[in-house]
Amino acid sequence: SYAYGADVRYALVSALPWAVLAGVGGEVVCRQVERRFPGVAGTGLLVGVLGVAHLCFLPGVRAETHEAWAARADHAVAREMAQRLPPRSLVLTHNPTMFQVWGVDAAQAHLLQTDREYVERVLAPGHRGGVYFHFNFWCNVADRQHRQFCADLLEKNAFEKVEERWERDYRYALYRLKSVDF
């Protein structure tokens, strides 16, 4: 679905080929305009027409509707938490790429359950700032499996809560793993 906020990653995959095709088509149109109407800048004309045609989409692009409020809150809170982490920290989370973009090492949270030895022997020694679990959007969703995963992770490991924030009825938190010898 291209309409649901969490699935934009699928739309992005198709955006590049469409952009390339649109660029090639735009170049052909510009050449034809310049050939038939000497002195007219085809590129400028095309950009102007496209700009006017897309003005009606601006309100929708800028709108922040209620549908994705929880994901946006997770992103905002996670960014604040990432800024307060000690240097050389590792965050275990459902969505490590956002932390990585912010310059914080991150990995999938499931590693603590599926390959704890790897976390303890390989990842933790290189992250003197600590290993953290990001209790996030996916820990709050209605899906029982997601909630249970987060509950099990907290229950089966020695964590200390570093910080916690609430947005509406969603809890976002950061926990530091205590059981790994740093």
Side-chain angles (χ1 to χ4, degrees), residues 67-89:
E67 288 86 2
W69 71 266
R72 282 194 306 272
D74 181 25
H75 186 270
V77 170
R79 188 168 201 163
E80 291 173 15
M81 291 176 176
Q83 292 171 348
R84 289 190 286 276
L85 285 171
R88 297 183 63 198
S89 295

Side-chain angles (χ1 to χ4, degrees), residues 5-87:
D7 293 336
V8 294
R9 60 185 174 265
Y10 300 116
L12 291 175
V13 170
S14 63
L16 184 61
W18 283 111
V20 170
L21 286 173
V24 170
E27 182 184 11
V28 170
V29 169
C30 289
R31 284 186 188 167
Q32 291 297 324
V33 166
E34 291 170 354
R35 191 174 295 142
R36 291 186 184 185
F37 304 100
V40 174
T43 304
L45 182 64
L46 182 64
V47 168
V49 168
L50 290 174
V52 170
H54 286 88
L55 284 176
C56 63
F57 295 109
L58 286 180
V61 169
R62 292 189 340 245
E64 286 190 12
T65 58
H66 71 280
E67 288 86 2
W69 71 266
R72 282 194 306 272
D74 181 25
H75 186 270
V77 170
R79 188 168 201 163
E80 291 173 15
M81 291 176 176
Q83 292 171 348
R84 289 190 286 276
L85 285 171

Side-chain angles (χ1 to χ4, degrees):
S1 168
Y2 288 106
Y4 183 63
D7 293 336
V8 294
R9 60 185 174 265
Y10 300 116
L12 291 175
V13 170
S14 63
L16 184 61
W18 283 111
V20 170
L21 286 173
V24 170
E27 182 184 11
V28 170
V29 169
C30 289
R31 284 186 188 167
Q32 291 297 324
V33 166
E34 291 170 354
R35 191 174 295 142
R36 291 186 184 185
F37 304 100
V40 174
T43 304
L45 182 64
L46 182 64
V47 168
V49 168
L50 290 174
V52 170
H54 286 88
L55 284 176
C56 63
F57 295 109
L58 286 180
V61 169
R62 292 189 340 245
E64 286 190 12
T65 58
H66 71 280
E67 288 86 2
W69 71 266
R72 282 194 306 272
D74 181 25
H75 186 270
V77 170
R79 188 168 201 163
E80 291 173 15
M81 291 176 176
Q83 292 171 348
R84 289 190 286 276
L85 285 171
R88 297 183 63 198
S89 295
L90 173 70
V91 178
L92 300 173
T93 180
H94 286 83
N95 38 2
T97 52
M98 70 179 176
F99 284 93
Q100 292 166 347
V101 166
W102 301 325
V104 177
D105 288 348
Q108 287 289 336
H110 73 82
L111 284 175
L112 203 50
Q113 285 185 335
T114 59
D115 200 354
R116 183 181 179 84
E117 186 177 331
Y118 176 73
V119 173
E120 290 177 345
R121 288 184 159 183
V122 177
L123 296 179
H127 293 92
R128 299 281 180 217
V131 177
Y132 297 83
F133 170 57
H134 174 225
F135 190 95
N136 58 59
F137 169 84
W138 294 107
C139 298
N140 288 283
V141 295
D143 179 43
R144 187 177 164 277
Q145 275 186 303
H146 280 76
R147 286 180 180 242
Q148 192 62 49
F149 170 82
C150 296
D152 288 348
L153 200 67
L154 290 173
E155 183 181 310
K156 295 176 182 175
N157 296 283
F159 282 106
E160 63 181 334
K161 190 186 314 177
V162 176
E163 62 180 290
E164 175 181 70
R165 288 257 308 268
W166 286 84
E167 293 287 333
R168 299 185 194 183
D169 59 341
Y170 272 45
R171 180 171 75 94
Y172 306 99
L174 192 65
Y175 292 88
R176 187 174 195 275
L177 186 63
K178 297 190 300 184
S179 64
V180 176
D181 183 20
F182 298 105

